[in-house]
Amino acid sequence: MNASTSPLANPAPALIRIFDHLADAQQARSALLDDGFPAHAVQLDTVDDEAVPVQGKAAWRGMFRLIVAVSDAQEQERAHAIVQACNGCDIEQRTASHAGSRRAGAVTPALAG
């Protein structure tokens, strides 16, 4: 399939979730397919680089990224419910959480009181 015909290459709405464990990500992908999402609309990959941009956010090494192309709000809600049940994390929440843990060793200014 060439990139111009792939639904994941077009700027169509997509649900992006990050997983810590491959088994959870694979379970989510299988559940989406079982629920009727077409295989070409569900992409699962591994993040091998330190930070990979994904629609303006970063995914970190060792995570598994699941991208689901959706056509409308109802599909997005279905996909969200399925992926959430399999421990999928919102990429924005995970990015903020990861960034916070990376800064945890930094000295924080004292609170004025």
Side-chain angles (χ1 to χ4, degrees):
M1 174 181 296
N2 92 32
S4 65
T5 60
S6 169
L8 299 177
N10 296 328
L15 179 79
I16 302 171
R17 294 294 182 261
I18 299 297
F19 295 82
D20 290 324
H21 304 285
L22 179 58
D24 289 341
Q26 289 173 326
Q27 180 182 7
R29 183 177 187 281
S30 293
L32 288 162
L33 297 176
D34 290 346
D35 195 61
F37 284 87
H40 67 270
V42 182
Q43 176 185 342
L44 174 60
D45 59 19
T46 303
V47 179
D48 292 326
D49 297 324
E50 181 60 27
V52 176
V54 179
Q55 292 189 349
K57 303 297 176 191
W60 304 93
R61 181 181 309 152
M63 293 181 177
F64 302 94
R65 178 178 49 201
L66 182 68
I67 304 171
V68 185
V70 295
S71 60
D72 57 35
Q74 184 180 13
E75 262 193 5
Q76 183 160 352
E77 288 178 24
R78 274 182 35 228
H80 171 75
I82 291 167
V83 173
Q84 186 174 12
C86 297
N87 301 316
C89 275
D90 180 90
I91 192 164
E92 291 181 18
Q93 291 173 346
R94 177 52 57 92
T95 299
S97 170
H98 186 77
S101 68
R102 291 179 67 111
R103 289 192 298 259
V107 176
T108 55
L111 295 174

